[in-house]
Amino acid sequence: MTTSTPATTSDSSAATKIGGDTSQGRTSIAASVVQKIAGIAAREVNGVYRMGSGASRAFGALRERIPGGGATGASNVAGVAVEVGEKQAAVDLDIVVEYGVSIADLSKAVRRNVIGAVERMTGLEVVEVNIAVNDIHLPNEDDEEDTESAPASTGRVVE
C-alpha cells in the first residue's frame, strides 16, 4: 500500500499557496497556522488531557521563560507537527489521554475533528493524522502535581 506524503516546507515560517494566484490576488497560509488549528481541534475533543510528551512539555515551558523564545512559529505548539505542501497536509499529534477513555474511539474523534477543522479553515486536503498516545492521566495525579509545585510548609507564620 502506498501512502502519499505532501511535500514538506523546510522553513517553519514558509507559507503554502492556497488556490494559486488569481487576478484578484493570492492567499498563502503559514505552516504554523495549520499547526495551531490542528492543536486546538485536538484539544477540543473530550478525553484529551494534554498535548505533547513529557519532554516536549518541559522544553516548551522552558522556551516560554526565555525572552523571545515564545515567538510565533511552527515549533511552539506542543505535541503538534505538520508537513504542509501546496494542496495537502499531514499532521502528527502527541497526546496524553484521560484514564478510562477508549483510546481507539478517542483517536477516531481526534482524527475526525482535526481533519474537519484544517480542511474547513485552510482548504488543504489532510492526507493523514498520526496520533501517538504518550501517557494516561490518572485522576489523582492532579493532587500530586499541585503538591510537587507548591513550596513545602515550614510551619512558620510570616507577618
Side-chain angles (χ1 to χ4, degrees), residues 34-61 63-64 76-82 91-98 106 110-111 113-114 129-135 137:
V34 176
Q35 189 176 30
K36 287 180 182 181
I37 292 168
I40 291 168
R43 285 190 298 269
E44 287 176 343
V45 179
N46 287 333
V48 175
Y49 177 72
R50 189 179 291 155
M51 300 293 297
S53 65
S56 70
R57 290 192 309 265
F59 182 69
R63 185 178 56 238
E64 287 177 6
N76 66 354
V77 180
V80 183
V82 299
V91 180
D92 294 327
L93 302 171
D94 291 328
I95 64 173
V96 176
V97 175
E98 291 280 355
L106 179 66
V110 168
R111 205 170 269 117
N113 207 44
V114 169
V129 176
N130 300 309
I131 300 171
V133 178
N134 292 314
D135 201 0
H137 174 259

Side-chain angles (χ1 to χ4, degrees), residues 74-141:
S75 62
N76 66 354
V77 180
V80 183
V82 299
E83 294 178 11
V84 180
E86 289 186 29
K87 297 180 182 179
Q88 296 178 326
V91 180
D92 294 327
L93 302 171
D94 291 328
I95 64 173
V96 176
V97 175
E98 291 280 355
Y99 176 78
V101 174
S102 166
I103 295 173
D105 292 341
L106 179 66
S107 63
K108 288 177 190 173
V110 168
R111 205 170 269 117
R112 184 174 45 249
N113 207 44
V114 169
I115 290 170
V118 171
E119 288 183 350
R120 183 181 69 250
M121 294 180 72
T122 66
L124 292 169
E125 175 192 4
V126 178
V127 294
E128 64 182 6
V129 176
N130 300 309
I131 300 171
V133 178
N134 292 314
D135 201 0
I136 294 179
H137 174 259
L138 301 173
N140 62 353
E141 286 181 348

